[in-house]
Every structure is written in structure tokens, then in C-alpha cells.
Amino acid sequence: MSEREDRDFEDNEELEVEDYRAKDDVLLKTHEEVNHDLCGEIEKMDIGYVKLKLVTTHDMIADSKGLIHGGFVFGAADYAAMAAVNERNVVLVASNCQFLSPVKFGDIINFTAKVRHKEGRKRNVHVIGNVLDIKVFDGEFKTVVTDRHVLKLRLTEEEGEEYHNEHD
């Protein structure tokens, strides 16, 4: 860089992330603190759509043969579903899942999640997981978008009053 370019560069203010992103890019708004080693990495994201990759690790092994515990497969599928909805306060309320083939240590699971139905605060997300050409997971995730974080919600006014009376 020339001396002049150095000065021009120093004079410019730091750019925010928003300045770098293209107008059509979608940024993740939910589950920002998730452990990507356990839940996978988002490879592609669009409105209502996510592609996610989970590389199975030694920590996920369930037995001496190298079988991966289904909870890790489910966790990655759930994360893909939440990211496809991509609302700050989205929570899982139900799922119907099938584990179609075993997953072993070293396998890479590629998940695709698509929002299939949207009604009010409810979102239904279909998630498929493949290892190479083999479908290993197929699930439907029912989610709800809440006004506040799920840990800050009160189910009824009475419950809120009972909680405060017990903890005051």
C-alpha cells in the first residue's frame, strides 16, 4: 500500500458488519451462542431455508463400534430448523422425527431445513439429513415465535404472582 493509501485507510471509520453484507444476505438472529462443534455449521441461509453441516466427532460416540448418539443428530436438525425460522425468540414445541440409518464416527451429515407452513406465530419446518446419498434423518419441527425470551415468559398472571410471592 502506498503512503497515501495508508492515510486514506486510516482516515476511514471502521465499517460495521451491515456495511459488508449484500442487501440480499440473511443474518442469523437466533441461537447465536450454540456450540457449532456439537450442532453443526450453517453453510447456506435464506429466508425460510438453511443448509447445515455436522461433522461427527469423538465426543458424539455412543459405543465401541463408533455409533453416533441420536441426540447429536437431533440437536443439529433442531438447530437447522431454528435457523430456518430465524426469529430471535423461536422455540421448539413438538417434533416428529425418524432416524432412518445409523450414523458413525467421521460421517458428515448435511441437513436441509425448509419452513413449510407459517400461521401467526407458528412455523412448521421440514428437516432432512443425509450422509452422502443416504437419508439418515427426516423430521418435522413445530415451532412458536414468542414476544420475549422463553425464560422470561409468564404463562398466566397467577403463576407470575405465585413466583414473586415465593421469591420475595
Side-chain angles (χ1 to χ4, degrees):
M1 215 183 282
S2 75
E3 192 174 313
R4 177 184 159 84
E5 289 172 324
D6 279 341
R7 275 196 312 269
D8 288 343
F9 182 75
E10 290 170 7
D11 290 341
N12 288 335
E13 293 179 26
E14 275 191 44
L15 295 176
E16 298 294 323
V17 171
E18 293 292 318
D19 296 326
Y20 285 103
R21 118 181 145 90
K23 292 196 186 299
D24 295 334
D25 285 352
V26 177
L27 294 178
L28 185 66
K29 299 183 217 172
T30 189
H31 291 66
E32 308 91 349
E33 300 295 321
V34 77
N35 182 328
H36 297 283
D37 291 337
L38 298 177
C39 294
E41 288 281 348
I42 294 172
E43 295 193 310
K44 184 176 181 183
M45 187 171 186
D46 205 344
I47 296 170
Y49 174 84
V50 163
K51 278 191 140 186
L52 179 137
K53 176 172 77 173
L54 177 69
V55 178
T56 59
T57 66
H58 189 268
D59 292 333
M60 300 174 185
I61 294 175
D63 65 19
S64 61
K65 305 278 190 232
L67 178 69
I68 297 300
H69 185 279
F72 295 104
V73 176
F74 180 86
D78 176 48
Y79 176 47
M82 298 300 112
V85 172
N86 201 25
E87 295 282 349
R88 180 157 304 284
N89 297 317
V90 60
V91 293
L92 179 67
V93 294
S95 66
N96 182 6
C97 303
Q98 295 178 327
F99 296 85
L100 303 170
S101 185
V103 177
K104 66 185 182 316
F105 172 64
D107 283 347
I108 296 171
I109 310 172
N110 292 296
F111 291 93
T112 303
K114 294 179 185 175
V115 175
R116 291 214 292 201
H117 183 73
K118 179 179 177 181
E119 180 185 329
R121 297 177 178 273
K122 299 175 186 176
R123 310 284 188 278
N124 288 2
V125 184
H126 187 221
V127 181
I128 295 173
N130 291 292
V131 173
L132 301 173
D133 291 335
I134 301 166
K135 187 192 288 188
V136 298
F137 180 90
D138 193 330
E140 193 74 23
F141 290 78
K142 295 180 185 222
T143 70
V144 172
V145 177
T146 59
D147 287 332
R148 290 184 272 167
H149 192 281
V150 69
L151 297 179
K152 294 185 177 184
L153 292 177
R154 291 187 193 168
L155 299 178
T156 66
E157 201 58 41
E158 285 178 1
E159 287 178 5
E161 289 172 14
E162 288 172 14
Y163 176 83
H164 286 295
N165 290 337
E166 290 173 13
H167 295 90
D168 286 339

